[in-house]
Amino acid sequence: MKISKVEAFQVEMGDGTGWMPRSAFVKITAEDGTVGWGEASPMMGGRPALDIMARHIAPALVGQQVFERNVLLGTLFHRLVKLGPEGIATSALAACDIALWDLAGKLLGQPVYALLGGAWRTEFPLYASIGGNAARSVDEVVREVARRVEAESPAAVKIRWDGDRTRLDVDIKGDIAKARAVRELLGPDAVIGFDANNGYSVGGAMRVGRALEELGYAWFEEPVQHYHVAAMGEVAQRLSITVSAGEQTYTLQALKDLIGAGVRMVQPDIVKMGGITGLTECGALAFAHGVELVPHQTQPAVGHFANLHVLAAQMNMTRPVELADMWERGRPVFRNSASPVNGKLVLDDTPGLGIEVDATAFEDRATLIAP
């Protein structure tokens, strides 16, 4: 079965305002008319990845065999290697990988997790990933956490800072106060994570990390700048709390370096690094090194489903699945986006990824990116 068309779209999400108002999708059509959907990172509206997709990837895929995914995308990765290869190019290729898996599942009449070897689970506990807390007061953080917990019944909560990455150690005392207030709100047994979003120096990270240990937090995410791999590993080795990182890691080799530095919980993102193929490889790498794989996942539509299919096929799942702010923005284009069901995320046995696209809403909100 050959690929007949590859189309790149920027799509308005939700009401088109606020956090991530537009995102990036690829639609790959086989010669029999079957369609596969993929999603790229929405950074800068996903436009840089879409341009690469439309100009350089689409022409190379049209006319090729659907099931030669590894050869096709591996060739393109090395053709585009001078672009980084981290970031824009890997995100564009991740979207195409996801779409080709979706297409393969539909052509074979199987859910993607079956093609990956079967599902250890099809229901996933979720954690409420709550961002923007650098700008909130202690009381505002508490109110937002309480709202999300009431609405979603999560198995765990993560408070994210989303601060100014050019300024480190801005308000360590205030950050610890917010962490303490969330612990008091949720009680001694609640599972809580703290995402610094690269906000500290090594010294600042040690101060905050020790406070989080005393408060019984479960993990400490990206405490220092992601590009300081040795520093991330130093913090991980000096603290007893689990230190996690990897959402800004774009190749399997870079993830290996992060593990080698001492990080014991890795969080690659399926729409940034390798798609379904790449995240499955990350699972094997994590298993080989005895570290936890807990993917970063903030997209409410195609990326969300792709992530769940990979996790369904992983034997070891140690933490709940991320459900980020404004997951409702996947609708109305994607009818069955990231909706939680009784505190869980659920897959069925629909062929492919199982994503449903409202054709009318898509036509109204999508912009085709020309080569």
Side-chain angles (χ1 to χ4, degrees), residues 12-365:
E12 183 181 283
M13 304 292 280
D15 63 3
T17 64
W19 185 67
M20 301 299 178
R22 289 171 296 282
S23 197
F25 297 90
V26 62
K27 178 183 179 183
I28 299 182
T29 306
E31 57 187 337
D32 71 344
T34 305
V35 168
W37 290 95
E39 183 171 9
S41 170
M43 298 299 108
M44 309 303 170
R47 185 58 191 263
L50 290 169
D51 287 339
I52 289 174
M53 220 181 291
R55 294 180 184 180
H56 303 292
I57 295 176
L61 292 181
V62 171
Q64 301 298 319
Q65 295 290 338
V66 169
F67 292 99
E68 294 185 356
R69 176 183 56 252
N70 286 3
V71 173
L72 295 172
L73 299 183
T75 299
L76 282 165
F77 174 86
H78 288 89
R79 187 179 297 172
L80 300 170
V81 75
K82 295 292 187 179
L83 294 179
E86 301 192 346
I88 298 170
T90 51
S91 178
L93 291 169
C96 294
D97 180 87
I98 293 168
L100 288 171
W101 275 100
D102 186 31
L103 189 51
K106 290 172 179 174
L107 290 171
L108 296 172
Q110 295 291 326
V112 167
Y113 62 70
L115 304 185
L116 292 171
W120 293 90
R121 66 196 66 79
T122 54
E123 293 187 358
F124 309 82
L126 65 90
Y127 75 80
S129 178
I130 304 168
N133 292 301
R136 293 190 177 112
S137 68
V138 172
D139 289 344
E140 288 170 338
V141 171
V142 168
R143 283 197 295 272
E144 182 60 15
V145 170
R147 184 189 71 81
R148 289 285 299 277
V149 168
E150 182 178 0
E152 296 161 12
S153 302
V157 164
K158 180 176 80 178
I159 49 175
R160 306 195 324 267
W161 253 239
D162 301 306
D164 181 354
R165 284 177 169 81
T166 68
R167 300 170 62 231
L168 304 179
D169 302 341
V170 173
D171 185 18
I172 289 176
K173 182 177 179 181
D175 296 347
I176 294 171
K178 293 171 186 178
R180 182 174 291 110
V182 171
R183 170 56 75 196
E184 291 172 355
L185 169 71
L186 299 179
D189 298 325
V191 178
I192 315 174
F194 183 112
D195 187 349
N197 295 116
N198 317 108
Y200 303 118
S201 65
V202 170
M206 294 304 300
R207 287 177 59 192
V208 175
R210 288 180 179 132
L212 296 177
E213 289 173 348
E214 292 178 3
L215 291 167
Y217 270 61
W219 76 93
F220 187 17
E221 188 168 332
E222 290 204 315
V224 301
Q225 296 282 16
H226 78 281
Y227 44 75
H228 288 316
V229 175
M232 194 77 76
E234 179 185 352
V235 175
Q237 292 181 69
R238 291 174 63 189
L239 292 172
S240 61
I241 188 174
T242 295
V243 169
S244 66
E247 72 174 77
Q248 296 167 100
T249 301
Y250 299 91
T251 65
L252 193 66
Q253 294 76 18
L255 193 68
K256 174 184 69 70
D257 292 342
L258 197 60
I259 294 170
V263 173
R264 289 295 173 262
M265 176 173 155
V266 293
Q267 298 182 282
D269 190 318
I270 198 165
V271 301
K272 295 178 181 176
M273 194 192 79
I276 289 170
T277 302
L279 193 59
T280 300
E281 291 173 344
C282 290
L285 183 67
F287 182 61
H289 286 86
V291 305
E292 297 178 81
L293 176 72
V294 186
H296 176 263
Q297 166 40 40
T298 59
Q299 304 318 301
V302 179
H304 165 74
F305 275 82
N307 185 60
L308 292 183
H309 278 273
V310 173
L311 290 177
Q314 297 292 311
M315 181 175 67
N316 296 319
M317 182 178 163
T318 57
R319 311 271 180 173
V321 176
E322 183 167 21
L323 186 66
D325 315 82
M326 293 181 65
W327 55 262
E328 303 92 339
R329 73 189 190 282
R331 297 194 291 260
V333 174
F334 302 96
R335 286 194 289 254
N336 58 336
S337 63
S339 305
V341 179
N342 298 322
K344 295 182 178 181
L345 302 169
V346 181
L347 283 178
D348 60 26
D349 60 358
T350 302
L353 292 175
I355 194 77
E356 297 178 16
V357 180
D358 185 306
T360 301
F362 183 83
E363 185 175 345
D364 290 342
R365 291 166 172 261

